[in-house]
Amino acid sequence: IVGAGFDYDAHSGSPSWTEHYQPLVYRPGQTGSVLAVSSQALGGAAYAVNDKGTIVGCEFMSNALPRAVQWVGGALAPVGGLASATESVAFDVCEEGTVAGMKKVDGQWQGFLANASGSSQFAPSTINGVNFREFWHVGKFGALSWGVSNATQRLFWVFPDDDQDGLSDILEQEIVDADPFDSIVSIADVLGSDDFDGDGLTNAQEW
């Protein structure tokens, strides 16, 4: 179980609230523990954990603005691809390590999906005229998002497909990351007609 603790006594009379939030993790048979934040942060919060133990959330910086982070093997690590963001929050992480959340760029909130390597993002903030403001949940084959289309707010289940080949980019990125030494180095190299796992079904059939 992950979450955040708030020290009301310490907060009493304080002009800031972020420094009294701390990210917490509770493991079966153990007492709860506080997750580390960077030396520049006042506090933080944890929002999700996958079965591999990777935890995602945010830390509150000295200016009280949130920055998306993850804890991998208990160690604090940044979420990649967010250098241009002034604020960011990570809400979910799937078994493959894809992180879902939101970021603020040029004063506008956008949803993001960051891949497991933490080095790039493969979810555009706009698809088919829908502006995605937040990604709340992510799985192997898609993500749940809140978006705006023609001034109407809706929930969307999104299957990112930047290369427009009919396969989810999340599935394709999993194949790319599976073997760093093969010839598949980008999602464009993943073909629907191939059979990556050799089970007799093409990638397109499995998708």
Side-chain angles (χ1 to χ4, degrees):
I1 300 174
V2 297
F6 185 77
D7 189 336
Y8 283 96
D9 291 334
H11 175 64
S12 179
S14 171
S16 172
W17 56 269
T18 54
E19 64 186 294
H20 304 303
Y21 268 107
Q22 296 297 327
L24 303 176
V25 57
Y26 294 89
R27 297 181 174 89
Q30 301 180 21
T31 57
S33 58
V34 177
L35 295 164
V37 295
S38 65
S39 59
Q40 300 85 16
L42 300 173
Y47 296 120
V49 58
N50 66 15
D51 287 344
K52 295 180 180 178
T54 298
I55 300 169
V56 297
C58 69
E59 57 182 6
F60 300 111
M61 307 311 293
S62 57
N63 55 8
L65 299 180
R67 179 173 68 178
V69 293
Q70 56 187 330
W71 292 268
V72 182
L76 180 69
V79 175
L82 301 177
S84 62
T86 55
E87 301 177 55
S88 57
V89 181
F91 291 124
D92 196 20
V93 57
C94 69
E95 299 314 301
E96 291 70 36
T98 301
V99 179
M102 65 179 185
K103 61 179 180 177
K104 181 179 278 190
V105 178
D106 296 328
Q108 298 294 320
W109 283 105
Q110 306 170 2
F112 76 80
L113 295 175
N115 68 18
S117 66
S119 60
S120 64
Q121 296 175 281
F122 48 91
S125 58
T126 302
I127 303 175
N128 295 332
V130 179
N131 294 306
F132 296 104
R133 302 294 172 82
E134 302 176 22
F135 281 103
W136 291 325
H137 169 74
V138 62
K140 179 183 292 187
F141 301 122
L144 178 66
S145 176
W146 167 65
V148 179
S149 175
N150 296 322
T152 301
Q153 301 180 16
R154 295 187 178 95
L155 290 176
F156 294 87
W157 184 253
V158 181
F159 304 99
D161 185 17
D162 282 358
D163 55 354
Q164 309 259 318
D165 63 354
L167 298 177
S168 165
D169 292 346
I170 296 175
L171 174 64
E172 291 183 304
Q173 190 66 45
E174 182 183 357
I175 294 175
V176 171
D177 293 339
D179 185 350
F181 303 106
D182 64 15
S183 61
I184 304 175
V185 296
S186 73
I187 61 175
D189 297 324
V190 180
L191 303 179
S193 58
D194 287 346
D195 178 13
F196 175 73
D197 55 4
D199 64 352
L201 297 175
T202 66
N203 296 334
Q205 287 173 320
E206 294 201 61
W207 167 238

